[in-house]
């Protein structure tokens, strides 16, 4: 019988269920945590700063993120009822949700409660459609996913650039009782740019000359170097850390009960579809790496766990979850395929979530330090999209360039011209104010217009060959 993504086997498939001695398992688990940590904390930092939250609230978001990531990782690695693919999968917040969440959160009529309502609804939607993903993949071929992931990376690059410059180019001030937007005098401070450049240089050097774990956590080590330099120059403060407790439990609905707004829900369901497509490719690739057969039932359980993790995220004040591609790469690098390593890493994430002072330190990292690392992280997202688009045969698909060009062009409108759709009704804002949602809708519709729907078998084969991630 010819090989398919569902029939990949290897002689060492039992390695997935191998129980490793605790000391070695703990070391390998910490390595997984370190590899994903910078990407894990990036989303709450981006969203928190975009919504103007206080440092203590951003620290709370970081703790909530770590808690939900740990729980979602345990579900995926160990399995629970009809949830979890039972492979060495690490879960974290997807970057695909950043744009839509900011568009929802900055709307004064919506805010954080609407983000969490949409997140919970999107997670339930993900659980419901998980068994259907084999058919729905035909609507999301590499042409669409590559375009969307490229757009995500390019859209987020503006965040990294503003971070590196030390904040936003304008700031709000009150003059004669009237609020005005004026130029930020600290924006582009040469000292800020210099520290961001040092962070970027450290990442480049470590990724080039580092080996093993050092190369894998080069972004995290670059942030550490930037923090050390900022402290030495007196450009980093830990205001409020004394008030933060040593231990605290993240409580559900900390920012209020969720609000379920139709437009916000639809935009987050579109994000959920993107993450399910990403996860499908990731699971099929991981099945080949570990030698574990990925049956249709196993794939459905894994995708349901993505949805459940997203529901948990909405309840515990955080965001949609997906599998982290760099941790899948780490499985290949280390050769350790045991799912119990990922499960213990999930417990480490939960333990970190109980430490408010650690989260407060993370929230205190200057934006210009994060900027140097963000250029790498978000640039890698865009580069992943370009790599996927590079797998397309443009001579056979002569309309592919139209799909890419128009989707990215329209998807960048909200980023480059935030007021472009200002006269549209408020209910359209989750679509028109998020370039990722807008670009995804355009890419899907144009691909259907030019190319139609791929067969289930062809879509699964392409997903296995172009596994990717936007975390």
């Amino acid at each position: 019988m010819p090989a398919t993504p569902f029939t990949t086997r290897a002689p060492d498939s039992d390695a997935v269920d191998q129980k490793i001695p605790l000391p070695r398992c703990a070391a390998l688990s910490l390595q997984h945590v370190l590899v994903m940590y910078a990407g894990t904390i990036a989303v709450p930092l981006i969203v928190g700063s975009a919504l103007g939250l206080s440092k203590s609230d951003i620290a709370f978001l970081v703790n909530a993120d770590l808690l939900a990531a740990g729980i979602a990782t345990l579900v995926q690695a160990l399995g629970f009822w009809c949830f979890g693919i039972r492979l060495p999968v690490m879960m974290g917040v997807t970057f695909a949700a950043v744009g839509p969440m900011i568009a929802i959160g900055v709307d004064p009529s919506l805010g954080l409660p609407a983000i969490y309502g949409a997140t919970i609804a999107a997670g339930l939607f993900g659980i419901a459609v998980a068994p259907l993903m084999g058919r729905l993949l035909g609507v999301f071929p590499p042409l669409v996913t590559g375009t969307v992931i490229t757009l995500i990376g390019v859209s987020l690059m503006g965040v990294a650039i503003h971070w590196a410059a030390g904040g936003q180019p304008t700031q709000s001030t009150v003059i004669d009782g009237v609020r005005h937007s004026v130029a930020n005098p600290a924006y582009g401070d040469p000292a800020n740019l210099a520290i961001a450049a040092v962070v970027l240089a450290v990442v480049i050097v470590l990724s080039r000359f580092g080996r093993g774990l050092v190369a894998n956590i080069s972004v995290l080590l670059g942030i550490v170097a930037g923090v050390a330099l900022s402290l030495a120059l007196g450009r980093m403060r830990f205001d409020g850390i004394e008030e933060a407790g040593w231990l605290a439990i993240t409580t559900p609905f900390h920012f209020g009960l969720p609000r379920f707004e139709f437009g916000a829900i639809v935009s987050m369901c579109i994000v959920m579809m993107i993450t399910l497509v990403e996860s499908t490719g990731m699971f099929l690739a991981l099945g080949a790496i570990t030698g574990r057969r990925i049956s249709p039932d196993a794939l459905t359980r894994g995708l349901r766990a993505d949805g459940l993790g997203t529901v948990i995220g909405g309840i515990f004040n955080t965001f949609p979850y997906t599998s982290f591609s760099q941790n899948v790469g780490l499985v290949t690098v280390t050769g350790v395929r045991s799912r119990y390593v990922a499960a213990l890493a999930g417990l480490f994430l939960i333990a970190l979530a109980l430490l408010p002072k650690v989260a407060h330190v993370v929230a205190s990292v200057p934006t210009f330090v994060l900027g140097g690392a963000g250029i790498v992280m978000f640039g890698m997202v865009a580069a992943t999209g370009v790599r996927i688009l590079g797998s397309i045969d443009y001579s056979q698909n002569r309309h592919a360039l139209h799909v890419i060009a128009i989707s990215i062009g329209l998807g960048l409108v909200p980023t480059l011209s935030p007021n472009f759709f200002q006269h549209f009704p408020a209910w359209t804002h989750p679509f028109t104010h998020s370039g990722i949602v807008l670009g995804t809708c355009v890419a899907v519709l144009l691909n259907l217009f030019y190319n139609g729907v791929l067969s289930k078998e062809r879509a699964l084969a392409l997903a296995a060959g172009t596994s990717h991630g936007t975390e």
Side-chain angles (χ1 to χ4, degrees), residues 67-86 91-92 116 119-131 272 275-276 279 283 299-322:
L67 174 67
I71 295 172
T73 297
L74 286 172
V75 171
Q76 279 287 26
L78 299 180
F80 166 71
W81 188 35
C82 59
F83 299 93
I85 198 166
R86 296 177 174 87
M91 300 287 287
Y116 295 133
T119 298
I120 293 171
L124 294 173
F125 169 77
I127 294 171
V129 303
M272 194 72 228
T275 62
L276 292 179
S279 292
F283 294 151
L299 179 61
T300 298
R301 291 198 311 270
L303 297 177
R304 281 201 195 107
D306 274 18
L308 180 61
T310 299
V311 172
I312 292 170
I315 293 172
F316 283 97
N317 320 285
T318 182
F319 313 119
Y321 283 83
T322 188

Side-chain angles (χ1 to χ4, degrees), residues 47 95-105 155-156 271 430 433-437:
V47 175
F95 283 138
V98 171
M101 289 191 299
I102 292 176
I104 297 168
S155 298
L156 288 173
V271 171
H433 286 50
S434 169
I436 294 167
V437 172

Side-chain angles (χ1 to χ4, degrees), residues 30 80 103 118 200 236 273 301 308 321 341 344 379 420 424 431:
L30 284 172
F80 166 71
L200 180 59
M236 179 176 176
M273 285 299 302
R301 291 198 311 270
L308 180 61
Y321 283 83
V341 172
L344 184 55
F420 191 88
F424 278 49
F431 306 94

